Structure formats: C-alpha cells, structure tokens
Amino acid sequence: MADDYVRRTAITRLSVDAEQRELLEETISEWKRGCQLATDMAWGKCNAKSDVQPLAYDDVREETDLGSQHAILATHQAAQAITGCLERRSNGKQVSKPTFTAPTVTYDTRTMTLFDDDTVSLSTTESRVRCELALPEAEDGYQRQYLDADHWSVTESTLTARDGDYFLHIGFRRPKTDTERDTAEDGTVLGVDLGIENLAVTSTARFINGRELSHNLREFEKVRAGLQQTGTRSAHRTLEQSSGRELRYVRDVVHQASNAIVDEALRYECDVIAFEDLTDIRDRTGASWGHKWAFRTLYEQVEYKAEAVGISVKQVGSAYTSQRCAECGFTADENRQTRTDFRCVKCESEANADYNAAKNIGMRYVRRGQQSPRRTGDSQLALKSGTVTPSGGFTAHPDGFEAEFTDKPLPQRANPSG
C-alpha cells in the first residue's frame, strides 16, 4: 500500500548534448500527444487506470512514437487527470476536459535506470539516452541521502524542460517504520497564508512581502494588453519576449519565497507545513491570474523542497480562516477590519490579518489530527514564541529564539524575503 511508504523527490539538472536534447524534446512532444489522445478517448466514459489503458493503449501506440511502456504510462496519466476533474466536479466545481501542455514526461523503473556513476538512462521515442546528473559539487548535497542509501528505492519520476534545461525529479521511497505508521504526520505544524499584500505569512510571524510582485504583475499585464491590441508580427515577438521575462521574474520571486518558508519550517523543527486549499484562492483573495499561478507554483516548490528534507506539505479547508479569531475562536465578518488589520469584536485581540489567518490554517490541520484515526492527535502549532495545542497548552521555545512580544507585527517589522 502507498501509505506504507515514505516518499521523497530529489531534483537534479541533466547534462545533455545536442543529439540528446533533440530526442528528449521529441519525447516530450509525443508524450503530450499520447496523454491527450488517451484523455480524449476516455473522457465521459471511464477514469480508472484499469479501464483507460485497454481503451486507449492501441491508439496511443499507433498514433504516436511512444514506446510500449510509455504508452501505458500515458494512459495512466490520462486516468489520473480525469479522476482529478471528477473529484473537483463532485465538490461543485465546473470542470472541462484536461489538456496537456506542460513540458514533462513520466518515467518508471522500466523506462529509466540510475547508475552508480551518477548517470541516468532514459527511454525516448527512438533509443535510450544516457545523461550525466549535474549534481552539486558538495558531497553532502541533499540528493546524496537518497542516491547513496540502500534503503531508498527509485520509483516513478518526472522529466521537466525549463528555460532550455532539463530537470529530473527522481522519486524515491522507503518503507515506513512502525513509529511512522503510528504517528502519521503528527508533530509540529507551520501554518502558511498566501495573499496579495503579503505573498506569504507563516504562523511564526515570517512575512514575505508581496507588494513588489503585485506591482510588477500589473505592469506586465499593461504591456501584454497593449501588445495584443497592436497585433503586428513585431508586437507578437515582443509579447513572447515579455512573457518570458515575466515567467523568469515570477519564478525567481517564488524560488526565494519557497526557500524562506522551508527555512522557517527547519528553524522551528516543523514536521508539516499547512497551506489553505488553493482551489478557489483567486475568488477569495481577488488575485489576478498571475497571482494564482504564483500561488500554485509557490506551493509546488515548497512541496518538493520540504519533502526533500523530510517535511510533509498539506492543504486544509480555507473556510473562515480570515474571519476567525486565532485567540478565542470567535468568527465574524466584522473581525476583519481591513485587508491588513484583524480585531476580534469579542475578545478585542488585534493582529495582522494575514498572520491571524496563518495561525488558523496551521491550527486547522492540528485539530484535524484529533479526529483522524490515522494520527495520534499530538500535533502542535508553531508560533514565534513557542508551540501551542488546541487545548491551549503552550511550550516556549528554548533560548535563542526571539520572544514574541506582540501579536500584531508593525509594518516596519515585516520581513520580506530577499
């Protein structure tokens, strides 16, 4: 069973030559075609892997250049995408048929082989290519704890093309220990709220400023709208260049923010990072499409970076996290004074609104563990000054941690990620 394993991902860039690059690009293109073909055939008919594979396999093999195993994996990818759509539909969301545009390919142990000399063999549409893993020079790079350990075995992995480079997200797993089975994802929880004024705020009062991102996203949108209106060939080329700059800029911002969140979790010895459910975040926050993409990318980056160091990343329901008082639990629209200020009309405690939401998000995950038969219910929420349990039990952090003198950080104390 999948729940009996601890899973981690080690990401490394590949060193490829021109011939290998051409083969990988062709494989990515055919993979997207195969996934789309299988989805088109199964949409509205079935979504289980055991049903989609016999339905679409022969057509994927005939109409693409994918090998037999990659054709099977493409039907499985289609099944997974359709299942995700059906789950969202069951929650009342409008969904449309999945489309495959991401420059990725899924690999398993039949289509990928890792070697002890830090190379990897990958199946392509023509022949296998053997590429070097561009690992960090330091021998203690985090990838080594998985590559060099016998108790970690390779599982399904993903090849991704990005900005002219190729990255292999290598999946590893090991059996859970008896203790891990008994305490599934209990421990110390870091709550994270995402927003416009602050891109992210943690329950430990780490503020990652979002004003510059918001300003630049608006500027990119203005440029894009003007170029689209112009409609000339030159404008189209300029639009592509601008889109590339925007993509690189947002990725850089998100990269720094995700590092800051994972660093905060490590500093406070957290076992879990809890985010709010991102499904309707654009409607809740009034975010632009650019923000929504940034939020999603930030979550994904935190997820793989955190899991690489043994920290789980989860989502919890977002209802009332911005109206609920993290101190007394009283929930009312009137508590949210402005976008940035929270003042409970019952207990009169004040806080930065995003900080209050971050604590509610983290505590919601903690409380969820009390009702889960798979968890011990022994989780606690990480704050700047210590940890707190749902019953109000508080444990102060050891000396060396800055005391939390006030629950409402002043604007000049906000800690933007650099």
Side-chain angles (χ1 to χ4, degrees):
M1 294 174 57
D3 288 341
D4 288 333
Y5 292 95
V6 175
R7 298 176 183 275
R8 294 291 181 263
T9 301
I11 303 172
T12 178
R13 185 174 60 83
L14 298 181
S15 296
V16 299
D17 59 30
E19 182 179 356
Q20 291 171 336
R21 180 183 300 274
E22 185 175 341
L23 288 173
L24 292 176
E25 282 297 325
E26 175 66 17
T27 304
I28 290 172
S29 177
E30 291 299 281
W31 170 260
K32 291 189 289 187
R33 286 185 59 223
C35 292
Q36 194 63 60
L37 177 61
T39 299
D40 293 345
M41 296 183 66
W43 182 251
K45 298 185 181 71
C46 57
N47 67 296
K49 290 181 181 179
S50 56
D51 294 328
V52 179
Q53 181 177 327
L55 174 70
Y57 172 79
D58 288 342
D59 289 74
V60 172
R61 283 286 282 146
E62 290 174 7
E63 297 187 31
T64 73
D65 292 330
L66 294 176
S68 58
Q69 186 61 19
H70 260 142
I72 292 173
L73 294 175
T75 67
H76 293 177
Q77 186 72 33
Q80 181 179 333
I82 295 172
T83 299
C85 285
L86 296 179
E87 289 175 351
R88 291 194 295 275
R89 179 185 290 170
S90 68
N91 291 325
K93 312 300 180 188
Q94 289 187 341
V95 298
S96 56
K97 183 173 64 177
T99 57
F100 293 85
T101 58
T104 65
V105 181
T106 298
Y107 281 87
D108 64 2
T109 52
R110 294 186 179 183
T111 52
M112 181 187 84
T113 305
L114 279 176
F115 295 97
D116 292 338
D117 61 354
D118 295 335
T119 62
V120 62
S121 172
L122 300 171
S123 293
T124 70
T125 52
E126 293 186 20
S127 59
R128 280 194 170 237
V129 295
R130 187 160 176 172
C131 311
E132 289 188 14
L133 303 177
L135 295 166
E137 293 184 7
E139 287 298 317
D140 58 352
Y142 85 91
Q143 295 96 334
R144 287 293 177 196
Q145 63 185 299
Y146 308 115
L147 291 167
D148 297 343
D150 292 336
H151 59 280
W152 287 103
S153 59
V154 177
T155 61
E156 196 167 271
S157 305
T158 304
L159 176 72
T160 299
R162 187 170 74 235
D163 297 335
D165 286 323
Y166 296 88
F167 295 87
L168 193 59
H169 297 230
I170 310 171
F172 291 91
R173 75 177 189 181
R174 64 165 174 78
K176 285 183 177 178
T177 63
D178 291 339
T179 300
E180 287 170 329
R181 289 193 184 95
D182 293 339
T183 62
E185 293 171 349
D186 275 306
T188 304
V189 179
L190 181 74
V192 181
D193 178 68
L194 304 179
I196 308 301
E197 185 75 11
N198 294 297
L199 176 58
V201 179
T202 71
S203 59
T204 53
R206 178 71 186 267
F207 284 71
I208 301 172
N209 200 299
R211 288 189 292 273
E212 182 178 336
L213 173 64
S214 297
H215 171 76
N216 287 332
L217 285 175
R218 286 194 298 270
E219 293 301 309
F220 278 120
E221 179 58 33
K222 289 178 185 177
V223 171
R224 185 160 52 248
L227 291 170
Q228 287 173 339
Q229 189 172 11
T230 302
T232 64
R233 185 174 299 177
S234 175
H236 179 71
R237 286 197 299 269
T238 306
L239 178 62
E240 288 184 341
Q241 293 171 351
S242 177
S243 297
R245 286 194 297 272
E246 180 179 12
L247 188 65
R248 289 189 293 272
Y249 166 72
V250 173
R251 279 180 175 155
D252 182 60
V253 171
V254 167
H255 171 68
Q256 295 181 55
S258 60
N259 283 346
I261 292 170
V262 175
D263 287 347
E264 194 77 354
L266 289 170
R267 179 171 185 252
Y268 286 88
E269 298 183 348
C270 296
D271 303 284
V272 178
I273 300 174
F275 286 80
E276 61 184 311
D277 186 348
L278 302 184
T279 304
D280 297 316
I281 194 168
R282 185 167 181 259
D283 296 332
R284 294 196 303 273
T285 63
S288 65
W289 282 108
H291 270 106
K292 181 181 178 181
W293 181 79
F295 293 153
R296 178 68 60 181
T297 305
L298 176 59
Y299 176 84
E300 291 172 351
Q301 287 204 14
V302 170
E303 186 176 37
Y304 77 69
K305 291 176 182 178
E307 289 185 349
V309 292
I311 300 172
S312 297
V313 180
K314 300 295 178 182
Q315 293 186 32
V316 298
S318 58
Y320 308 114
T321 53
S322 62
Q323 292 90 28
R324 182 184 185 277
C325 176
E327 299 304 317
C328 74
F330 181 71
T331 303
D333 290 340
E334 294 78 12
N335 286 347
R336 186 71 180 261
Q337 302 287 312
T338 66
R339 172 176 281 188
T340 58
D341 297 318
F342 183 96
R343 184 178 186 276
C344 181
V345 298
K346 183 177 181 181
C347 73
E348 299 186 347
S349 66
E350 297 184 12
N352 175 281
D354 296 334
Y355 179 38
N356 178 78
K359 291 196 287 185
N360 280 330
I361 290 165
M363 186 56 76
R364 180 159 293 177
Y365 182 85
V366 171
R367 292 181 188 278
R368 198 168 74 181
Q370 296 181 315
Q371 285 84 43
S372 172
R374 294 183 57 249
R375 294 169 57 191
T376 65
D378 292 334
S379 294
Q380 58 273 331
L381 176 66
L383 302 175
K384 192 171 186 178
S385 55
T387 58
V388 63
T389 65
S391 62
F394 178 78
T395 303
H397 287 310
D399 292 343
F401 282 84
E402 181 182 353
E404 186 176 31
F405 295 109
T406 175
D407 203 30
K408 184 178 181 180
L410 300 174
Q412 62 265 30
R413 290 181 61 199
N415 189 6
S417 174

